[in-house]
Amino acid sequence: MPASELRTLIIERLDITAWWTSQGVRFAKGSENGTNLKVHCPIHGDKNPSATVNRKTGTLHCFVCGKSWSPFDYLMEQRSWTFPQAQADLARAAGVE
């Protein structure tokens, strides 16, 4: 399977809310509906939700610090992992073999 197809399959199967929660992201109450969920940025520890997670793409974007991450980008930046390491971890979490 081509890498781009594998990446898409992982994001489609990943429980994106549970995954970001496992990374320390706090979801705002009442943000469960819709495509973009309001969250607290995991980097600067804001008191009010200043970021969103897109359910379809899995991308987190903070409007205060301007950072945006896919789950792959986040693991590579926060854990100093290579793309293959991040992909393997996310594939396991998504049940993609």
Side-chain angles (χ1 to χ4, degrees):
M1 174 181 304
S4 63
E5 287 180 26
L6 179 57
R7 183 181 174 126
T8 300
L9 181 62
I10 290 169
I11 293 299
E12 286 174 353
R13 293 193 181 172
L14 190 64
D15 180 339
I16 205 65
T17 304
W19 187 83
W20 278 113
T21 299
S22 76
Q23 303 304 305
V25 172
R26 295 180 301 126
F27 284 78
K29 292 182 181 177
S31 73
E32 300 84 25
N33 297 320
T35 301
N36 291 313
L37 305 172
K38 294 179 183 178
V39 299
H40 299 264
C41 181
I43 300 303
H44 57 81
D46 52 2
K47 292 182 182 179
N48 297 312
S50 63
T52 60
V53 168
N54 182 290
R55 286 184 195 233
K56 185 176 180 181
T57 65
T59 303
L60 185 149
H61 175 75
C62 180
F63 296 98
V64 172
C65 65
K67 293 289 288 185
S68 289
W69 303 273
S70 71
F72 298 90
D73 299 329
Y74 190 79
L75 289 176
M76 290 188 297
E77 182 177 313
Q78 297 301 310
R79 298 187 184 173
S80 299
W81 283 2
T82 62
F83 181 80
Q85 288 172 308
Q87 181 173 275
D89 185 73
L90 290 165
R92 277 190 298 277
V96 175
E97 297 298 325

